Amino acid sequence: MANNLRFQVVEEAFKKSAVEVKQPKERPSEYFGKYVFNRQKMYKYLPKDVYDSLVNVIDNGARLDRSIADAVAAGMKQWAQEMGATHYTHWFQPLTEGTAEKHDAFVEHDGKGGMVENFSGKLLVQQEPDASSFPNGGIRNTFEARGYSAWDPTSPVFIIDDTLCIPTIFIAYTGEALDYKAPLLRALHAVDKAATDVCSLFYDDVTKVQVNLGWEQEYFLVDEGLFSARPDLLMTGRTLMGHESAKNQQMDDHYFGTIPDRVQAFMKDLEIQALELAIPVKTRHNEVAPNQFELAPIFEECNLAVDHNMLLMSLMKRVARKHGFRVLLHEKPFDGINGSGKHNNWSLSADNGVLLHAPGKTPEENLRFVTFIVETLMAVYRHNGLLKASIMSATNAHRLGGNEAPPAIISSFLGTQLTELLDHIETSSANELFNLKGKQGMEIDIPQIPDLIVDNTDRNRTSPFAFTGNRFEFRAPGSSVNCASAMIALNAAMAESLTSFKERVDGKMAEGKEKLPAILEVLKADVKTCKPIRFDGNGYSEEWVKEAARRGLDVETSCPVIFEHYLDDSSIKMFESTKVMTAKELEARNEVKWEMYVKTVQIEARVLGDLAMNHIIPVATHYQSQLIKNVQGMKDIFSSAIFNTEKATRLSSRNLKLIEEVAERTEKIEQLVEELTDARRVANRIERIHQRAIAYHDTVCPKMDAIRRECDHLEMIVEDGLWTLPKYRELLFIR
């Protein structure tokens, strides 16, 4: 019987023990980057002049000279083969939120009937994967398959199993970006240029500004047997039905608790393999919800950090299966408990060693600090709707707005001290803010910012974009997505903001103003302009929703409608002026977003309908039949006269009520499933994908919620031994 199978799966899950992990004898620093062609290996395997040229490309953005490509490829191949690699692949990030790869062997005909290992510079620099079957938003027709992947030298190649993986961008034959990496690299270049220009107002030695990113990856672990016994988890990554466990996270006993042995074994194995791939993992801990955990690395350069996050998500899935787990990266796999995010800790640093979002020890340095804080707020204020669109998805929509994650309104928390500082700037005149003392330098009439500002600002977990001392934490990105999406929008907006700031300061200086008065005058105006984005209160409150709307912030909650911000005039102007994406690329990406939304909800609706009709209703009616037999048996046992007595009636009344409730709920489910199917059919007939996505949100999703409510009620009624699907108390508390 199906019920016995469920119990067998649960029993097996409890019996499992931790897989033994062989801890390397070396210290992590000794095997860090073992499978990465890093600078140490580049220096060993490349000629000196080739090494110098490649480093110049990586560090200074010099154009890659194709003449060195063959030498680089030869060195890579030699190293890779010594490490046991037999194949190579261009590893890229299409608009699927995953990665893609096509493996080719290091072999060619030798012209003598044999084979020879070969890997040329041409194969390293460029390949031609099929571009028609990846999401492209109409840029490519099915019959127009040509696309190009091109090597990104700034992200080191690495080895997975027997394959040399080469990070690349992915573009269409007509030149448009079909991936996340190409526009991310453009956005990083735009910020570099704009921030370097602004730094010239404060320093003489800044030639480059780097974007830093430190992501925090949250995830759930579920026993593989239980995972396989839940078709909804298997097909959609989340439970489409399931009543809350009597105990979940309300005792706060899981957060930062002792890591279970079996999970610890998984974490150790994952960390070893991650460090071997040069992913600088540092932090691991239990998260708030049961069976939820977090892994976080040391921050890195943004492009490399994004690559490492995508690589880690793939690695997590492989290692988890080795330990009898499945990793759930869905933002809300279980109803009623916390979902998972991917907090993006973002900052800028100059090549003179200055962290631009950190306060300094002199008035001049603090003016630089205030400048970059204010211009970040300007970027977030001008494009708050776009930033929300950059992190929105059909899956993240389930997480945002709950009492565990940032609300679906973008605002920034600064803390008391920084808020008071900006208020002081806003209410003071430029002449009051500073004075010059000849060779003694400048004094700014701004309250001194202590060195320990990190400890002087509290945290606000309801803020989507919070200042945390020397960086901003963008808390809204979901756990399953490519964080490049948020980084593209944020960095492009920042580049626009800094460019505007520098142009306005230059304009005032051209009018005859001194540099410092010009800077302070522009800052004062910007502090006032971006004030609506600053909010230090409770982002979960209904009052904030009303207040945010009054301030002109975007308060939309419909995922397909939120995507429209990519096509706002201000968004198109910003992306085009920073040369990050063209209007055509933006239109195509929005087509992809709407299409992905429709397909995600469509799959969920089909799975839910199947589960309701082929699992829930048969189990419920089988239980109903048992109840009917029970009542009939009571009639047979008792004489007609006795059965009609008050005692006999009381004995059977509970069963009669259950029979009636099961009948009502199963009938309601059948009706709702039929309505759900009809709603999908109507929506599918809508030609424009944008309107179809809105229809799915407005008509299909509510039917799914209603079906779930009825199924969850039945779960609490039907005899436990008959229920075929593993329950929350089993999924969330396996040790």
Side-chain angles (χ1 to χ4, degrees):
M1 290 179 64
N3 59 304
N4 290 331
L5 176 61
R6 170 189 155 218
F7 289 132
Q8 289 171 14
V9 170
V10 173
E11 185 177 4
E12 287 300 316
F14 273 103
K15 287 180 179 179
K16 285 183 178 177
S17 59
V19 177
E20 182 182 358
V21 179
K22 295 182 180 180
Q23 187 77 28
K25 295 180 181 179
E26 308 97 332
R27 291 174 296 181
S29 59
E30 294 175 312
Y31 60 83
F32 180 77
K34 176 181 179 180
Y35 294 110
V36 177
F37 195 65
N38 54 25
R39 296 198 184 200
Q40 180 184 22
K41 300 182 182 81
M42 286 165 51
Y43 189 82
K44 177 181 178 180
Y45 287 91
L46 302 181
K48 180 64 167 59
D49 60 329
V50 173
Y51 171 83
D52 290 339
S53 296
L54 186 55
V55 168
N56 189 34
V57 171
I58 296 170
D59 289 347
N60 303 316
R63 185 170 293 277
L64 178 67
D65 186 348
R66 287 248 181 168
S67 64
I68 71 168
D70 283 334
V72 175
M76 282 184 182
K77 179 172 72 72
Q78 181 184 349
W79 168 73
Q81 289 183 321
E82 289 176 6
M83 298 297 293
T86 58
H87 289 68
Y88 66 93
T89 183
H90 275 202
W91 183 80
F92 57 97
Q93 301 167 28
L95 303 178
T96 59
E97 305 302 333
T99 59
E101 53 198 65
K102 174 174 69 75
H103 298 194
D104 289 306
F106 290 122
V107 294
E108 297 288 348
H109 286 294
D110 66 357
K112 302 175 184 178
M115 304 293 288
V116 62
E117 287 80 12
N118 182 58
F119 182 56
S120 67
K122 180 180 178 181
L123 296 175
L124 165 65
V125 172
Q126 179 178 316
Q127 280 195 323
E128 187 186 321
D130 188 335
S132 65
S133 298
F134 290 104
N136 59 64
I139 287 179
R140 306 298 290 153
N141 294 312
T142 302
F143 61 87
E144 296 173 320
R146 195 182 298 275
Y148 295 115
S149 57
W151 175 36
D152 170 20
T154 63
S155 186
V157 302
F158 55 91
I159 293 174
I160 295 288
D161 293 332
D162 64 351
T163 303
L164 178 69
C165 300
I166 305 161
T168 62
I169 64 169
F170 182 44
I171 60 173
Y173 175 70
T174 46
E176 295 87 3
L178 297 176
D179 69 343
Y180 283 108
K181 181 181 277 283
L184 176 63
L185 290 173
R186 295 173 193 158
L188 297 178
H189 175 72
V191 169
D192 175 16
K193 182 179 184 306
T196 299
D197 287 345
V198 172
C199 281
S200 69
L201 297 170
F202 305 98
Y203 306 102
D204 296 326
D205 57 346
V206 173
T207 61
K208 182 179 178 60
V209 171
Q210 173 178 291
V211 179
N212 305 308
L213 172 62
W215 40 263
E216 303 169 19
Q217 180 70 59
E218 295 176 338
Y219 61 96
F220 282 85
L221 288 176
V222 174
D223 183 271
E224 186 165 24
L226 297 174
F227 173 89
S228 299
R230 290 285 309 220
D232 48 357
L233 276 179
L234 188 66
M235 300 295 290
T236 73
R238 75 178 180 109
T239 53
L240 299 175
M241 60 182 69
H243 198 281
E244 287 187 47
S245 171
K247 178 184 183 298
N248 46 51
Q249 67 186 47
Q250 65 265 49
M251 301 299 292
D252 298 320
D253 53 343
H254 190 257
Y255 192 49
F256 282 13
T258 302
I259 299 173
D261 290 345
R262 188 175 162 205
V263 175
Q264 182 92 334
F266 156 76
M267 288 180 169
K268 287 181 180 179
D269 200 356
L270 174 63
E271 288 177 358
I272 292 168
Q273 296 189 42
L275 289 168
E276 288 177 336
L277 289 167
I279 305 173
V281 292
K282 183 177 179 67
T283 302
R284 67 188 185 204
H285 64 81
N286 288 5
E287 258 298 338
V288 175
N291 276 14
Q292 186 187 33
F293 308 93
E294 180 180 293
L295 181 150
I298 303 169
F299 74 89
E300 300 179 277
E301 185 276 324
C302 185
N303 176 47
L304 182 58
V306 169
D307 283 0
H308 278 167
N309 182 247
M310 297 304 294
L311 178 56
L312 181 91
M313 289 195 292
S314 175
L315 188 63
M316 290 172 75
K317 295 174 183 177
R318 296 176 61 196
V319 175
R321 297 196 70 172
K322 175 182 173 183
H323 291 261
F325 286 121
R326 285 296 186 108
V327 167
L328 301 183
L329 293 174
H330 193 289
E331 284 74 12
K332 194 75 171 179
F334 302 103
D335 194 38
I337 62 174
N338 282 15
S340 297
K342 179 151 44 195
H343 306 165
N344 284 197
N345 293 280
W346 170 88
S347 66
L348 303 178
S349 58
D351 59 357
N352 65 349
V354 173
L355 192 59
L356 299 178
H357 284 107
K361 297 183 179 180
T362 66
E364 293 91 338
E365 290 237 298
N366 283 333
L367 183 59
R368 176 268 306 157
F369 163 67
V370 172
T371 296
F372 278 90
I373 291 293
V374 172
E375 293 314 307
T376 300
L377 295 176
M378 284 291 289
V380 176
Y381 172 63
R382 286 180 178 138
H383 299 288
N384 68 94
L386 172 66
L387 288 175
K388 184 162 69 174
S390 75
I391 55 87
M392 185 55 68
S393 65
T395 53
N396 203 22
H398 294 289
R399 164 181 167 261
L400 294 179
N403 287 348
E404 88 228 29
I409 302 170
I410 301 297
S411 64
S412 184
F413 168 82
L414 300 180
T416 303
Q417 190 176 53
L418 193 49
T419 296
E420 290 176 352
L421 171 63
L422 297 189
D423 288 343
H424 179 70
I425 293 174
E426 180 187 357
T427 56
S428 301
S429 69
N431 289 332
E432 293 173 332
L433 283 170
F434 76 95
N435 61 77
L436 294 176
K437 292 189 175 182
K439 293 183 180 180
Q440 296 178 7
M442 173 191 68
E443 289 185 357
I444 301 179
D445 180 25
I446 295 175
Q448 179 61 36
I449 302 171
D451 293 338
L452 296 179
I453 190 168
V454 174
D455 299 322
N456 288 335
T457 59
D458 200 352
R459 289 198 173 196
N460 186 330
R461 296 184 63 83
T462 72
S463 176
F465 197 82
F467 180 67
T468 56
N470 58 10
R471 64 192 182 277
F472 282 91
E473 184 180 18
F474 196 7
R475 297 175 54 83
S479 56
S480 68
V481 301
N482 189 327
C483 49
S485 177
M487 290 296 100
I488 291 167
L490 176 58
N491 287 300
M494 187 63 177
E496 179 196 55
S497 180
L498 291 172
T499 299
S500 171
F501 173 81
K502 181 64 164 54
E503 288 174 349
R504 286 177 289 147
V505 170
D506 287 348
K508 293 188 179 298
M509 291 171 63
E511 295 171 359
K513 282 188 178 291
E514 294 291 331
K515 180 173 68 174
L516 295 176
I519 291 173
L520 286 165
E521 189 172 331
V522 173
L523 274 180
K524 179 178 169 62
D526 285 354
V527 167
K528 186 174 183 179
T529 299
C530 68
K531 192 171 184 178
I533 204 67
R534 291 157 45 193
F535 179 66
D536 291 358
N538 180 9
Y540 296 152
S541 67
E542 287 298 321
E543 291 78 12
W544 168 233
V545 177
K546 298 175 183 177
E547 172 62 16
R550 188 191 66 78
R551 294 185 185 189
L553 304 182
D554 185 87
V555 297
E556 180 61 59
T557 58
S558 169
C559 184
V561 175
I562 291 170
F563 289 151
E564 295 172 9
H565 283 297
Y566 271 97
L567 301 181
D568 289 346
D569 290 342
S570 59
S571 298
I572 294 173
K573 180 181 177 182
M574 181 268 289
F575 280 119
E576 291 194 326
S577 67
T578 55
K579 299 182 180 179
V580 173
M581 282 189 281
T582 65
K584 182 178 181 181
E585 287 174 314
L586 291 169
E587 290 169 358
R589 280 165 192 265
N590 254 36
E591 290 289 307
V592 171
K593 287 178 179 292
W594 285 319
E595 183 179 6
M596 293 293 283
Y597 180 86
V598 167
K599 289 180 177 178
T600 299
V601 179
Q602 185 181 71
I603 291 170
E604 289 185 349
R606 288 173 173 173
V607 172
L608 179 59
D610 173 62
L611 282 175
M613 298 302 294
N614 297 312
H615 284 255
I616 306 305
I617 289 181
V619 168
T621 53
H622 179 58
Y623 179 54
Q624 185 183 47
S625 298
Q626 289 187 346
L627 293 174
I628 293 172
K629 289 180 181 179
N630 182 275
V631 173
Q632 185 62 50
M634 292 179 68
K635 288 183 178 180
D636 294 339
I637 291 173
F638 297 105
S639 65
S640 178
I642 297 175
F643 186 80
N644 288 327
T645 65
E646 180 180 346
K647 181 178 180 181
T649 302
R650 188 169 61 250
L651 290 172
S652 61
S653 62
R654 179 178 180 275
N655 285 352
L656 291 172
K657 289 180 180 178
L658 286 174
I659 291 169
E660 183 178 3
E661 183 171 0
V662 169
E664 290 176 351
R665 294 197 182 279
T666 53
E667 182 180 2
K668 184 66 173 177
I669 289 172
E670 289 178 341
Q671 176 187 340
L672 286 169
V673 170
E674 184 176 348
E675 292 175 2
L676 176 67
T677 304
D678 290 341
R680 280 179 25 230
R681 287 172 179 163
V682 171
N684 290 338
R685 287 196 289 268
I686 299 174
E687 184 174 351
R688 291 188 60 200
I689 190 64
H690 179 195
Q691 298 304 319
R692 194 186 315 156
I694 292 175
Y696 261 84
H697 176 275
D698 293 348
T699 64
V700 175
C701 289
K703 298 296 182 186
M704 294 173 62
D705 292 339
I707 293 172
R708 174 172 193 147
R709 284 193 295 271
E710 298 300 325
C711 292
D712 289 356
H713 277 296
L714 284 176
E715 181 181 326
M716 297 301 291
I717 295 172
V718 174
E719 179 191 340
D720 185 61
L722 297 177
W723 200 257
T724 58
L725 302 176
K727 298 184 176 183
Y728 273 23
R729 67 169 185 262
E730 297 155 352
L731 290 165
L732 291 170
F733 295 96
I734 299 300
R735 292 293 182 264

